[in-house]
Amino acid sequence: MTDKTAIIYARVSTTRQAEEELPVESQIEQCTRKAEELGARVVQVFRDDGLSGRSDTRPAFQDAIRHCELSPPTYLITWSTSRFARNRVDAGWYKRRLDQVGTKIVYVSMNIDTSRTDGWILDGVMELFDELYSRQVAADTTRSMLKNAREGFWNGGTPPLGYEPVPADENPKRKRLAPVAHEADLVRRIFRMRLEGAGARAIAMRLNEDGALNRGKRWSKTTVADLLRNETVIGNVVFGKKDRASGRDRPRSEWLVVPAHEPII
């Protein structure tokens, strides 16, 4: 039996990418063939579905790195440089950690030998291209979402209590929020209780006692307070409350607030 071992790491960012580009299963299949060519035995496969390579907060990726540090395989095999990371700082940091334990990264879609000067340069150039692509996609997505918000359409995600997304009359491919009768009644009740002087904690306790749950979940002081501050209930779509890159809260002066749908309150 060969003494060479390998782990495989595969990733897709979105469902669309999985459908239009190379699905995770295909990545794994190609990586397995590469391991056979290298005469290495695959000991474990790690996969992240629906997670961007721009961030290192990918559970399977972190597990793969830890595996290499605890029980170093000969190779970490992945489809391409972009599957490993789309952030050149992260890429350099994790490659250094793998180098320290003697695990070599192998890309299936390209032949890069980082032990050679030309391979080391090419690897660095690919890191820059991968991050550039990620930044362009992020910028395009933000522009699209901003345009969507300016026109009063819903940008996706879980709709706030009281509403559901429905096809817009003027463009069925896009969504607008519409009230859900029984949820809207509950939202109005919460605002009436606040108007009568009850605090968020007291409101939460009363709702839980009455079995008036938040889509099957118990209320807390925080969830009540969040609803009371949510401008969706007065008919607004709000975009840009947080900086997408840093996750930090933005001042209200930088928000985009658009009257977009039927208010509940």
Side-chain angles (χ1 to χ4, degrees):
M1 181 178 292
T2 178
D3 58 353
K4 293 181 182 179
T5 57
I7 66 166
I8 291 171
Y9 175 70
R11 176 184 67 80
V12 290
S13 300
T14 63
T15 301
R16 180 179 175 182
Q17 183 187 68
E19 293 173 349
E20 297 183 359
E21 297 181 17
L22 195 66
V24 167
E25 290 75 13
S26 296
Q27 292 179 40
I28 294 171
E29 181 181 350
Q30 296 291 337
C31 289
T32 302
R33 290 179 183 172
K34 188 66 176 180
E36 292 173 355
E37 292 175 11
L38 294 168
R41 174 172 53 89
V42 175
V43 295
Q44 197 159 347
V45 175
F46 300 87
R47 59 183 286 171
D48 281 311
D49 295 271
L51 294 175
S52 170
R54 193 174 184 184
S55 168
D56 64 350
T57 54
R58 293 170 272 150
F61 178 75
Q62 292 296 335
D63 288 345
I65 297 298
R66 281 192 292 268
H67 178 95
C68 291
E69 292 179 324
L70 293 172
S71 181
T74 312
Y75 307 108
L76 184 154
I77 303 176
T78 190
W79 171 250
S80 66
T81 56
S82 66
R83 297 305 86 199
F84 187 80
R86 284 196 183 275
N87 178 306
R88 68 187 189 282
V89 174
D90 287 344
W93 167 242
Y94 288 107
K95 287 173 184 178
R96 179 181 176 85
R97 287 171 62 177
L98 294 178
D99 185 61
Q100 288 175 337
V101 297
T103 295
K104 181 179 180 180
I105 301 176
V106 175
Y107 307 115
V108 176
S109 63
M110 58 192 74
N111 184 22
I112 298 179
D113 184 355
T114 55
S115 67
R116 295 165 49 94
T117 300
D118 57 352
W120 173 76
I121 292 173
L122 178 58
D123 197 39
V125 170
M126 291 306 301
E127 289 174 4
L128 288 170
F129 275 114
D130 290 336
E131 181 164 348
L132 175 62
Y133 175 82
S134 181
R135 286 174 176 267
Q136 289 175 331
V137 169
D140 290 345
T141 299
T142 298
R143 280 194 294 271
S144 177
M145 294 178 72
L146 188 59
K147 181 178 183 296
N148 221 37
R150 282 199 181 107
E151 296 174 359
F153 296 113
W154 178 243
N155 266 319
T158 303
L161 186 71
Y163 288 96
E164 64 179 351
V166 298
D169 293 337
E170 67 275 38
N171 186 347
K173 291 183 178 180
R174 296 186 178 183
K175 305 284 187 180
R176 290 195 186 274
L177 292 180
V180 177
H182 68 281
E183 291 187 353
D185 288 342
L186 178 56
V187 171
R188 295 187 188 100
R189 178 186 174 187
I190 291 170
F191 274 82
R192 282 196 300 270
M193 293 170 72
R194 181 69 188 98
L195 190 62
E196 293 166 359
R201 186 184 300 278
I203 294 173
M205 292 176 62
R206 179 63 182 275
L207 293 174
N208 291 333
E209 289 172 358
D210 292 348
L213 301 182
N214 179 11
R215 291 178 176 164
K217 298 180 180 179
R218 291 178 62 82
W219 289 94
S220 67
K221 176 183 176 180
T222 300
T223 52
V224 170
D226 286 346
L227 176 63
L228 291 169
R229 289 192 293 260
N230 194 326
E231 294 192 30
T232 305
V233 299
I234 60 173
N236 290 339
V237 162
V238 180
F239 182 78
K241 294 177 70 173
K242 288 184 179 292
D243 183 276
R244 289 176 62 83
S246 66
R248 297 190 184 95
D249 291 333
R250 285 176 166 167
R252 183 180 174 82
S253 60
E254 296 181 8
W255 300 358
L256 174 65
V257 182
V258 180
H261 51 263
E262 180 183 341
I264 292 176
I265 303 299

